[in-house]
Amino acid sequence: MEPSDLIWMNGDFVAWDEAKVHVLTHGLHYGTGVFEGIRAYETDRGTAIFRHTEHLDRLAKSAELYYMPMPFGREELRAATHELITRNDLQSCYIRPLVFRGYGTMGLFPLDATVDVAIAVWEWGAYLGDEGKRAGIRAKVSSWRRIGPDSLIPHSKASGQYLNSVLAKIESQKAGYEEAILLDHLGHVCEGSGENIFVVTGGEIITPPQTASILDGISRRSVMRIAADLGHTVVERDIARAELYLADEVFLCGTAAELVPVREIDDHAIGTGEPGPITRAVQVVYEDALYGRDPRYADWLDVVGVPSTTS
Ligand code: PPE
């Protein structure tokens, strides 16, 4: 993050230090924003954005769920992101588009407030550490339940909803663990504070279903496809808390975190206490897909500078 870097705001490229909002911005007070977390990797074909279309689709859906009209279309945001990465001279980066209710209206009825859009890009290392990706992390089941579908919208990647993740993350860090695992409103396993979760038992790969208040993760979908391509059975079903402790392997996945083995949960060693063979095998192919090394997943990459074929 250099002051010379640019940020895209409402159609303009502005200097990093000039990308400002008013203190009475609606989203700052009420969390009325939606966002995405996307990554671009250096590949043989050039800098490539992983599953860009799917992320931009989810951004639009997250906005729609909160009655927020998107002032820019998917193609405009895609082109802006390409130009931003090029102008900031980045070979790999994290990409953060944010759509939020802006300045000018206070109070809880937001439909008259403006909708602003910003995109920032920066270099962001391994979210749970390089060592975590290699050797696995220690996690704690949070005392905070994941937001329920009867109070907020788990399917929307909305800014205000992240207070839930923040509480869980603080609790786990203060207790000496690297990540929190949240249960859903019914007590079933849901996900990490910023990752989806997979459990491996008896050779079967299990992950919580859409009805378990998960974020419909794009890494999750990619991992499910890769695991199936490797010949594994992948099942979406509710998971009981004790199944975590009894599992042969557990891993988390998300854009920022990528694929991270979990070696211990609530002080129970998972399997042998080291990343298991299925986790490792899926992790290797997943990383190959991210870096464009596996031709089977070449169409998941949006190469920066290459025009869209969809419009
Ligand atoms: N659940 C939550 C709550 C979540 O925030 C993420 C992504 C996922 C699951 C995985 O979704 P996907 O990235 O589509 O596979 N979390 C983003 C934000 C992290 C942050 O600290 O900010 C991310 O990974 O970019």
Side-chain angles (χ1 to χ4, degrees):
M1 301 183 194
E2 301 290 330
S4 58
D5 287 342
L6 299 172
I7 297 218
W8 185 90
M9 274 185 99
N10 296 322
D12 296 318
F13 291 89
V14 298
W16 189 273
D17 291 343
E18 301 304 321
K20 293 175 182 167
V21 294
H22 194 275
V23 72
L24 292 184
T25 295
H26 199 275
L28 202 52
H29 292 248
Y30 307 117
T32 44
V34 297
F35 69 97
E36 268 306 316
I38 314 171
R39 275 192 190 271
Y41 295 88
E42 198 173 351
T43 75
D44 284 349
R45 290 153 68 201
T47 298
I49 305 171
F50 188 68
R51 308 207 74 169
H52 200 189
T53 308
E54 289 84 349
H55 280 283
L56 292 176
D57 276 350
R58 188 173 64 187
L59 184 67
K61 286 176 187 160
S62 293
E64 164 62 21
L65 287 168
Y66 277 100
Y67 304 93
M68 240 188 287
M70 287 278 285
F72 297 92
R74 197 174 75 185
E75 255 324 299
E76 284 172 292
L77 295 179
R78 176 180 177 270
T81 305
H82 281 214
E83 189 174 346
L84 191 61
I85 291 172
T86 305
R87 289 178 67 169
N88 283 349
D89 201 20
L90 288 163
Q91 275 65 55
S92 61
C93 61
Y94 188 78
I95 304 163
R96 168 56 54 83
L98 174 67
V99 182
F100 59 101
R101 291 282 179 185
Y103 168 75
T105 306
M106 290 306 261
L108 291 179
F109 183 76
L111 302 190
D112 300 327
T114 55
V115 177
D116 290 328
V117 185
I119 307 171
V121 294
W122 68 88
E123 283 176 354
W124 208 9
Y127 190 62
L128 296 172
D130 288 320
E131 183 61 12
K133 278 175 66 177
R134 202 186 57 74
I137 58 152
R138 297 175 60 244
K140 175 185 176 358
V141 173
S142 180
S143 72
W144 298 100
R145 293 285 179 92
R146 165 81 169 153
I147 49 164
D150 48 358
S151 57
L152 285 165
I153 313 175
H155 274 81
S156 179
K157 199 168 167 60
S159 305
Q161 299 188 166
Y162 275 81
L163 283 173
N164 178 234
S165 297
V166 163
L167 282 174
K169 188 78 185 180
I170 291 173
E171 181 186 61
S172 66
Q173 296 270 314
K174 281 186 178 288
Y177 299 84
E178 287 146 296
E179 187 53 291
I181 296 170
L182 288 83
L183 307 179
D184 71 8
H185 64 299
L186 298 174
H188 299 131
V189 174
C190 179
E191 60 181 15
S193 73
E195 310 86 14
N196 289 109
I197 192 165
F198 287 82
V199 169
V200 182
T201 301
E204 190 171 73
I205 304 180
I206 312 159
T207 193
Q210 298 288 332
T211 45
S213 295
I214 61 167
L215 179 72
D216 183 4
I218 291 160
S219 317
R220 174 183 179 275
R221 278 189 247 156
S222 308
V223 161
M224 287 170 75
R225 163 81 191 281
I226 287 169
D229 288 350
L230 286 171
H232 296 294
T233 305
V234 185
V235 180
E236 289 176 271
R237 69 155 172 84
D238 285 330
I239 299 171
R241 178 173 182 163
E243 288 186 90
L244 290 176
Y245 309 143
L246 298 171
D248 298 324
E249 307 178 27
V250 174
F251 63 87
L252 300 170
C253 71
T255 299
E258 298 169 337
L259 197 155
V260 179
V262 181
R263 64 181 165 89
E264 220 179 276
I265 301 174
D266 291 344
D267 306 299
H268 293 288
I270 303 305
T272 61
E274 287 183 4
I278 293 180
T279 302
R280 276 285 177 247
V282 175
Q283 188 183 37
V284 166
V285 179
Y286 183 64
E287 297 248 333
D288 283 348
L290 295 179
Y291 287 90
R293 295 189 294 252
D294 193 323
R296 285 176 294 181
Y297 311 111
D299 64 354
W300 284 351
L301 301 180
D302 176 25
V303 180
V304 172
V306 174
S308 168
T309 51
T310 56
S311 64

